[in-house]
Amino acid sequence: MQRKRVAVFISGRGSNMSALIAAASKADYPAEISLVLADSPKAAGLDIAKEAGIPAFSVDRKTFPDRATFESRLDEHLTEHAIEIVCLAGFMRILSPEFVERWRSQILNIHPSLLPAFPGLNTHEQAIKAGVKLSGCTVHVVGPGLDDGPIIAQSAVPVHVSDTADTLASRILKAEHVLYPMALRLFASGAVKIEDDRVVLTDAPLENEMAIFSPPLFADQV
Ligand code: GRF
């Protein structure tokens, strides 16, 4: 099996990155985490990646005069490490349409809501304010718009009346740590493909893997 070479872009603690690293440590996983890039030297996930023996670098946005020069440095790292797929994992920068086009159908993102509901910042506050009873997370291929692009997989969790943004975020984060490795496995193996900006399955039973109801949904209903 030829494992796909993956770069993970982070801005902070990198718990989704850690979940991807753990999944990719298994021999039968179709991707390897070959590079981690952070937009700030303060991103705690950089140390975690280095401890795991993964090349990890800060490309500090503040040290570049504009987005184009920042992104060409990202590109250099990606080329140098022969990267085939980029996973955004809590990366707090919006990539330019030019960068997204250069890496068309090769960038995945995880967002902590059931897109297209509640894109952008303050996702959990938005969900609580709207009074939804279900939220969750989405892994999608990055398109030119914000939190936009073909959806690969989603996981749903309940929203409780007593929830704060923090309690909802931590429930969803647990689902993220399951969903992202699963979605990357489907994508890197070629089981899920993007054609004309749409998700195409090469194996119909996979449909069952693309929608996950987190176990607490059922436990809480008993
Ligand atoms: C996650 O909730 C992710 O969905 C969002 O930012 C958070 C990053 O967390 N985009 P971590 O750095 O992966 O722990």
Side-chain angles (χ1 to χ4, degrees):
M1 178 185 56
Q2 189 66 31
R3 305 174 90 203
K4 287 275 190 323
R5 293 179 62 79
V6 173
V8 184
F9 286 9
I10 60 169
S11 294
R13 68 190 161 191
S15 70
N16 277 289
M17 173 205 74
S18 296
L20 293 174
I21 291 171
S25 69
K26 306 209 173 84
D28 64 348
Y29 197 77
E32 60 183 285
I33 309 305
S34 308
L35 176 67
V36 170
L37 296 179
D39 65 344
S40 156
K42 293 188 191 135
L46 279 174
D47 288 337
I48 299 170
K50 284 178 194 159
E51 273 163 32
I54 296 166
F57 305 97
S58 155
V59 181
D60 190 351
R61 172 65 182 91
K62 294 199 194 89
T63 64
F64 293 86
D66 52 34
R67 184 162 70 173
T69 51
F70 166 68
E71 289 183 345
S72 47
R73 187 71 191 110
L74 296 177
D75 263 330
E76 281 170 14
H77 276 292
L78 297 178
T79 306
E80 201 173 307
H81 289 84
I83 297 303
E84 298 162 281
I85 298 170
V86 175
C87 287
L88 308 182
F91 187 63
M92 300 303 287
R93 300 270 163 202
I94 295 173
L95 295 165
S96 70
E98 294 77 21
F99 186 94
V100 171
E101 185 55 34
R102 273 199 299 284
W103 290 88
R104 191 185 174 131
S105 303
Q106 290 170 278
I107 311 175
L108 304 187
N109 181 42
I110 189 157
H111 183 75
S113 73
L114 295 175
L115 290 173
F118 317 129
L121 296 175
N122 305 319
T123 317
H124 307 299
E125 284 87 344
Q126 291 184 57
I128 287 170
K129 196 165 166 210
V132 293
K133 300 300 166 208
L134 283 175
S135 191
C137 48
T138 303
V139 175
H140 66 98
V141 176
V142 172
L146 179 67
D147 296 323
D148 175 29
I151 290 172
I152 294 182
Q154 293 187 307
S155 180
V157 307
V159 182
H160 300 312
V161 172
S162 58
D163 265 331
T164 62
D166 285 348
T167 59
L168 179 58
S170 69
R171 190 175 310 120
I172 291 176
L173 192 65
K174 284 188 198 136
E176 293 182 51
H177 296 163
V178 176
L179 190 74
Y180 213 171
M182 189 207 81
L184 177 61
R185 179 169 54 75
L186 295 175
F187 189 71
S189 68
V192 163
K193 288 190 159 80
I194 306 300
E195 285 175 15
D196 298 328
D197 291 328
R198 292 180 65 88
V199 166
V200 174
L201 298 185
T202 56
D203 183 5
L206 282 175
E207 204 102 48
N208 298 334
E209 297 194 45
M210 298 169 81
I212 301 180
F213 295 93
S214 96
L217 178 62
F218 303 107
D220 285 354
Q221 285 176 342
V222 175

